[in-house]
Amino acid sequence: KIIKGKGLICNLFSYEELCNMSSKIFIGHTRYKTNEIKDSFQPIILKSKNLKICFSHNGNIINVKDIESILENIYNIKNSKIVSDSFLLFQLIFNFLENDIENSITNQNIVNLSNYLHKNVTGSFSIIMYIEDFGLIIMKDKFGIRPLIYGSNKNNDILVSSESCSLNNVLSYHVIDEVNAGETIVFNNRMEKYKYQHKFSNLRPCLFEYIYFSRLDSIVNNISIYNCRYELGKLLGKVMMKEKENIDFIIPTPETSRIYAYGMSEIMNVPIQECIIKNRYVNRTFIIENKDKIQENIKRKFSIIREIVKGKNVILLDDSIVRGNTSKNIIKLLKSNGAKNVIFGSASPKIFSTNKFGIY
């Protein structure tokens, strides 16, 4: 059974519906909408007479034209409509396995698949897939760009997630390990574990996992997200020490900038003031394509407590600058509510070049 839809998870299905789904394997997926492709929701199931696989993918595949060419020229497959990079990746995996298997699928087929993907796919991928009558496979690209972690409980049930906080929230589970860059792990239906490490692997994680995407209580590549953001705030505080005497307080942009502000406040010995109120019913603005809608949503998203900011010199701190629309409009809001001077600080180091494997 598959439940898919657009919107918040809590509005798509209930806990009771999940409890009524009778299975030993469950795969879930959620993401920002970053393309205009309809029906690109995951997980995706592909099946033939001999093979049935359920897929989930986190990452960005760059060489989609190459994959389309392989699918058409080698496997005689051409999609009649535009599909997502994830769907093309799944088609490649499915058709490779279907042609690689002789009688029944083995661990060697999965090793062959791993080597094939690392050779032919350019981009980032953390993959979870279940092959019917075989087992669960988790797989990471050779740079380990996107996080993936797994754990178990006393019944030896396996939980795989992009964040360690998922295991923390399920109290009976404990973390076993993070999936290494270039690593493939098989949990077969007999609950036997098999691991394969691609030899040309080198950890190069996406910085935005630490700066923005990951939740505060997560650990990514053995680094605490909370501590990372706190230390980045301290580093920025050292840079801005020369402004200390002229600053009345630091204002974090809610919600993700607060920990950075704690670090900055410790170094500069300048207090923090929460004077920006966020409307929690307005969704993220940086993923909206229409510029006018962005401006409109930002105005509805934030309001300022005028009594606090009037006549004050402040540092406005944000976690990062994606487009700059939010930052510019909050500065305007602060000034229109009487702030005397606004110094803007970004806790993210400068991004010097395009990161196609991670964020766009």
Side-chain angles (χ1 to χ4, degrees):
K1 184 178 179 182
I2 300 176
I3 303 173
K4 291 186 183 182
K6 181 180 179 181
L8 299 176
I9 292 173
C10 59
N11 297 331
L12 295 179
F13 56 83
S14 66
Y15 177 72
E16 287 71 24
E17 284 181 90
L18 291 184
C19 290
N20 290 330
M21 296 176 75
S22 178
S23 180
K24 292 183 179 180
I25 298 289
F26 296 87
I27 296 179
H29 187 277
T30 181
R31 62 168 289 175
Y32 298 147
K33 181 70 172 172
T34 56
N35 59 47
E36 296 304 311
I37 300 168
K38 293 182 179 180
D39 303 323
S40 60
F41 304 114
Q42 298 181 43
I44 291 169
I45 292 178
L46 295 178
K47 56 186 176 180
S48 65
K49 183 180 178 180
N50 302 315
L51 192 63
K52 184 177 181 181
I53 311 180
C54 182
F55 300 91
S56 180
H57 164 237
N58 179 22
N60 296 311
I61 306 304
I62 308 307
N63 63 330
V64 291
K65 296 294 183 186
D66 296 334
I67 295 174
E68 286 175 334
S69 178
I70 292 171
L71 288 170
E72 186 172 359
N73 296 326
I74 297 178
Y75 300 115
N76 197 29
I77 291 174
K78 187 173 177 64
N79 293 293
S80 59
K81 60 180 181 179
I82 298 174
V83 296
S84 67
D85 59 335
S86 297
F87 189 77
L88 287 170
L89 176 64
F90 299 154
Q91 285 183 314
L92 187 67
I93 291 170
F94 185 87
N95 285 280
F96 175 85
L97 285 175
E98 193 166 45
N99 283 269
D100 195 55
I101 297 168
E102 292 184 2
N103 296 315
S104 60
I105 190 166
T106 65
N107 289 334
Q108 187 58 49
N109 295 126
I110 304 303
V111 170
N112 296 343
L113 171 66
S114 175
N115 290 330
Y116 182 77
L117 292 182
H118 284 106
K119 181 181 178 181
N120 291 282
V121 174
T122 305
S124 57
F125 55 85
S126 283
I127 298 168
I128 300 174
M129 60 181 181
Y130 178 69
I131 303 177
E132 192 171 70
D133 298 325
F134 177 69
L136 185 73
I137 296 100
I138 52 181
M139 189 179 291
K140 247 189 186 183
D141 64 80
K142 60 187 175 184
F143 296 126
I145 296 167
R146 289 297 185 207
L148 204 57
I149 193 166
Y150 67 100
S152 69
N153 61 11
K154 61 183 180 182
N155 299 322
N156 290 322
D157 299 321
I158 299 297
L159 178 60
V160 185
S161 177
S162 60
E163 288 201 60
S164 62
C165 64
S166 301
L167 285 89
N168 300 339
N169 287 349
V170 186
L171 299 179
S172 58
Y173 280 80
H174 67 275
V175 172
I176 295 176
D177 206 355
E178 294 190 64
V179 183
N180 296 322
E183 188 173 39
T184 296
I185 304 175
V186 176
F187 299 97
N188 67 25
N189 285 345
R190 297 185 300 277
M191 290 309 297
E192 298 165 339
K193 183 166 72 172
Y194 173 81
K195 298 174 78 170
Y196 170 70
Q197 178 66 55
H198 184 66
K199 59 182 178 180
F200 301 113
S201 302
N202 186 10
L203 181 62
R204 303 281 183 87
C206 177
L207 184 64
F208 236 53
E209 294 291 345
Y210 301 95
I211 291 169
Y212 180 78
F213 287 138
S214 297
R215 213 170 74 170
L216 281 174
D217 53 343
S218 281
I219 306 291
V220 178
N221 298 312
N222 295 315
I223 297 172
S224 161
I225 297 300
Y226 185 101
N227 290 343
C228 177
R229 293 177 186 174
Y230 194 91
E231 292 298 321
L232 283 172
K234 288 169 67 175
L235 286 172
L236 187 58
K238 291 176 182 178
V239 172
M240 302 186 76
M241 274 295 285
K242 60 183 179 182
E243 307 289 346
K244 173 182 175 180
E245 301 305 322
N246 301 318
I247 300 299
D248 292 299
F249 48 78
I250 300 164
I251 304 173
T253 303
E255 299 286 337
T256 53
S257 303
R258 191 171 288 117
I259 309 306
Y260 298 109
Y262 291 158
M264 176 184 277
S265 177
E266 178 187 324
I267 293 297
M268 297 182 69
N269 197 28
V270 173
I272 297 170
Q273 276 283 10
E274 301 275 0
C275 57
I276 302 175
I277 306 302
K278 182 180 178 182
N279 182 348
R280 59 194 176 99
Y281 299 105
V282 177
N283 290 329
R284 291 177 174 88
T285 53
F286 78 85
I287 57 174
I288 301 173
E289 291 299 324
N290 186 291
K291 190 175 180 180
D292 292 332
K293 283 188 177 181
I294 290 174
Q295 305 289 346
E296 182 183 325
N297 266 27
I298 290 170
K299 288 178 182 177
R300 292 192 296 116
K301 189 175 182 178
F302 298 106
S303 60
I304 308 295
I305 303 176
R306 183 179 178 85
E307 294 77 12
I308 298 178
V309 303
K310 188 176 180 181
K312 301 296 183 181
N313 299 316
V314 302
I315 293 176
L316 174 65
L317 181 61
D318 208 345
D319 50 46
S320 58
I321 307 169
V322 178
R323 293 180 176 174
N325 295 301
T326 301
S327 308
K328 289 177 183 176
N329 279 277
I330 291 178
I331 291 168
K332 286 180 183 178
L333 280 172
L334 286 168
K335 289 188 173 180
S336 66
N337 279 275
K340 186 178 178 182
N341 289 301
V342 179
I343 296 174
F344 179 79
S346 169
S348 168
K350 185 176 180 180
I351 298 172
F352 286 91
S353 57
T354 305
N355 177 9
K356 291 183 178 180
F357 285 7
I359 58 166
Y360 276 89

